């Protein structure tokens, strides 16, 4: 389909040249060429089957672990915030759409006295993004509870990936970026509400006391190298409080970059590069980004 015909057909469902900063926790970034927010699974599938094949799709959930560069993203940006249904079957298997937040799923499980998903409360993202990164917190990861995920690619083709087929590893999976996850199933087990709530309170308290909250940040900036903690390497390299423009390394947890007020995406990325260089100079260890950086510089 010709792109102009496509735009006219979907003009009531899409927005053109839209600012993306408001969709990220950092609050920075350029515009989306085309922005699409599906109402449900059916509208998502129909849209992807009808879009021009050459147009790539990038999905945004909570935007918590994401840095969108200052010149924005070409193609289609898919916002999953309306895909947030959560349910449970008779076997205690919990299903959640990609736009449901990790915290919502954790609380849903608690309400049905199902355990195993408490750690999701400590991950500030959505289910779709959590699977893409095999996100984790407080000793648990998505791969520990995921049964399978239903995905759709740029052409509208559907496929179910089992946990094993995803090849989940530390903060990564072995599946092509062409697949957009929109529905997942999780295992859980019985427990009483009091035990579950106690675990969740501990997780919330740990997060509040050890990490910066309620500010413009992007979660953990770098992955932990094998046998090391990224924050310790950053601290040892003298980067705590390091600043470029309005981008600064958190004093509370130095694996977090904070946008104090009006930082650009470029300043945040430059600060990250400077930290990587200093860590390598002091320890010989190369830090790898955990924050996803996308768009045009």
């Amino acid at each position: 389909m010709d792109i102009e015909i496509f735009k006219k057909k979907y003009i009531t469902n899409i927005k053109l040249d839209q600012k993306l900063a408001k969709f990220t926790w950092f609050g920075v970034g350029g515009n989306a060429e085309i922005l699409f927010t599906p109402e449900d699974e059916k509208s998502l599938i129909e849209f992807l089957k009808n879009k021009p094949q050459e147009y790539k799709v990038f999905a945004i959930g909570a935007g918590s672990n994401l840095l969108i560069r200052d010149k924005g993203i070409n193609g289609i940006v898919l916002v999953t915030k309306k895909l947030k249904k959560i349910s449970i079957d008779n076997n205690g298997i919990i299903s959640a759409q990609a736009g449901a937040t990790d915290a919502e799923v954790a609380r849903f499980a608690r309400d049905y006295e199902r355990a195993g998903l408490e750690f999701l409360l400590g991950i500030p993202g959505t289910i779709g993004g959590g699977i893409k990164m095999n996100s984790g917190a407080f000793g648990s990861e998505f791969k520990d509870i995921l049964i399978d995920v239903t995905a759709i690619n740029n052409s509208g083709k559907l496929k179910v990936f089992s946990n094993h087929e995803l090849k989940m590893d530390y903060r990564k999976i072995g599946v092509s970026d062409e697949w957009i996850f929109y529905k997942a199933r999780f295992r859980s087990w019985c427990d009483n509400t009091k035990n579950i709530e106690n675990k969740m309170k501990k997780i919330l308290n740990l997060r509040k006391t050890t990490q910066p909250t309620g500010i413009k940040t992007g979660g953990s900036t770098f992955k932990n190298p094998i046998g090391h903690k990224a924050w310790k390497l950053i601290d040892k390299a003298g980067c705590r409080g390091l600043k470029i423009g309005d981008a600064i390394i958190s004093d509370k947890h130095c694996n977090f970059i904070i946008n104090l007020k009006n930082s650009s995406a470029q300043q945040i990325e430059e600060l990250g590069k400077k930290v990587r260089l200093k860590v390598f100079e002091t320890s010989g260890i190369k830090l790898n980004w955990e924050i996803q950086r996308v768009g045009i510089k």
Side-chain angles (χ1 to χ4, degrees), residues 186-198:
F186 302 97
R187 63 177 58 88
S188 67
W189 55 89
C190 290
D191 201 348
N192 64 66
T193 303
K194 186 177 180 181
N195 284 343
I196 295 169
E197 284 188 341
N198 285 339

Side-chain angles (χ1 to χ4, degrees), residues 41 80 83-89 93-106 108-109 117 120 126-129 131 142 145-146 148-150 181-187:
E41 290 179 23
T80 63
L83 303 176
K84 56 182 182 180
K85 289 181 181 176
I86 311 168
S87 61
I88 187 169
D89 68 12
I93 292 173
I94 293 172
S95 298
Q97 292 183 330
T101 68
D102 301 329
E104 286 170 342
V105 176
F108 179 93
L117 284 72
L120 293 177
T126 56
I127 293 300
I131 297 169
F142 265 77
I145 56 170
L146 182 71
D148 55 38
V149 61
T150 304
F181 301 144
Y182 71 88
K183 184 169 59 179
R185 297 193 305 151
F186 302 97
R187 63 177 58 88

Side-chain angles (χ1 to χ4, degrees), residues 230 233-235 237 239 274-287:
L233 294 169
I234 295 167
D235 201 14
C239 297
K274 191 169 183 178
V275 168
R276 292 184 77 215
L277 179 61
K278 284 181 171 290
V279 167
F280 184 71
E281 288 173 346
T282 55
S283 67
I285 295 171
K286 288 184 178 180
L287 291 178

